[in-house]
Amino acid sequence: MTEAFKLGIVVPCYNEEEVLPETNKELTQIISNLVNENKITNDSKIVFVDDGSSDKTWSMIDEYSKTNDYASGVKLSRNFGHQSALLAGVTSASNSCDAVVTIDADLQDDVNAIPKMVDEFLNGSEVVYGVRNNRQTDTSFKRDTAEGFYKVMGWLGVKLVPDSADFRLMSQRACKVLLSYRETNLFLRGIVPMVGFKSAKVYYARKERFAGKSKYPLRKMLKLAINGITSFSIVPIKMIMQLGFLIVLISIGLLIYTIVQKIHGNVVTGWSSMMISIWALGGVQLICISVIGEYVGKIFNEVKHRPRFTIERDIYTEKTLKEENNEVK
Ligand code: UDP
Ligand code: MG
């Protein structure tokens, strides 16, 4: 029997007052089962990350931290978005946990997959992906857009684990490597496979949101998708060059055609062709500039090296220090 290890479960929460009681209950149950099985130590923790919620989320987390030994939380100073909230939680948790699981607050991901992830970790995997084996509960729109996105990403040469989102387990070492990727524009799904180490997959059925509404409107989803593409691939810029060559080729053809027509004296007034080329080329140019602009904007944001999140209060670290002090005494 290997020695029990300390587990952290990071849960990003943005206005999740409706689901938190149930999430707290189910995750606590999972932790206490694992503690009873002697797989994890009893100082293992749930780390709720309040991503600048405007409802009662933080006061609930604060309350749980007092009444539940396994609960703790980190409060961000404002809304930084899902990916940064995850990173903030992983930063705190990986300081003292041997492995960190990240899971959404809405219980769409099956908490019963966590013990399976723990087993894979005990078998030596450092990254364990939660992979959903059905997406029946997502709207067909979300399913189709997600499928299209994975296709485009694959085509652009970005390695992703299909149908895995941000539900996964990472060893302390893998977390540290992840945190050493310093980019401000975060797309964790793309970075985690780059971390390497032995990995495994755990399959689970994705459920309906337990309560409340999705905090990922189309606008945020598109932003995540564009971010995913432009932080991992420069294929769009290369495509602009190919497009440029194609258009130059076409115009050489047109030039020859025009000269031949002129020699034969068939010159027409040429209004339609002028109009079409002005609009078509104008459009192509605008698109190309905007693609380049997207990357320039990215560089602009990255070179500033702004903090990716700001922690207002870290109950996880407060509790951990207290527990360590008690042990010493
Ligand atoms: N979330 C967050 N910050 C945000 C948006 C969402 O921390 O700005 C959290 C949210 O509380 C949830 C998780 O990210 O725990 C996933 O969000 P949601 O379930 O709304 O997304 P969906 O499952 O619809 O893609
Ligand atoms: Mg959800």
Side-chain angles (χ1 to χ4, degrees), residues 319-329:
K319 261 189 142 172
T320 306
L321 288 178
K322 214 187 264 167
E323 284 168 0
E324 280 168 4
N325 281 340
N326 287 343
E327 242 164 59
V328 173
K329 269 184 226 150

Side-chain angles (χ1 to χ4, degrees), residues 104 106 108 206 209 214:
D104 287 351
D106 58 6
Q108 280 193 288
R206 189 162 159 97
R209 200 173 222 289
S214 170

Side-chain angles (χ1 to χ4, degrees), residues 16 104-109 138 142 206-210 213-216:
E16 298 284 11
D104 287 351
D106 58 6
L107 298 172
Q108 280 193 288
D109 302 321
D138 279 332
K142 187 144 196 164
R206 189 162 159 97
K207 294 181 278 193
E208 301 271 9
R209 200 173 222 289
F210 180 75
K213 283 198 295 282
S214 170
K215 308 294 183 294
Y216 256 100

Side-chain angles (χ1 to χ4, degrees), residues 210-235:
F210 180 75
K213 283 198 295 282
S214 170
K215 308 294 183 294
Y216 256 100
L218 185 61
R219 183 175 51 84
K220 275 194 183 170
M221 239 164 74
L222 272 178
K223 197 173 147 200
L224 185 73
I226 291 181
N227 201 4
I229 292 171
T230 52
S231 8
F232 280 93
S233 168
I234 53 163
V235 172

Side-chain angles (χ1 to χ4, degrees), residues 1 4 11 21 49 57 108 182 200 209 296 318:
M1 176 88 208
V11 190
V49 183
T57 300
Q108 280 193 288
R182 302 298 320 171
R209 200 173 222 289
V296 174
E318 290 168 21

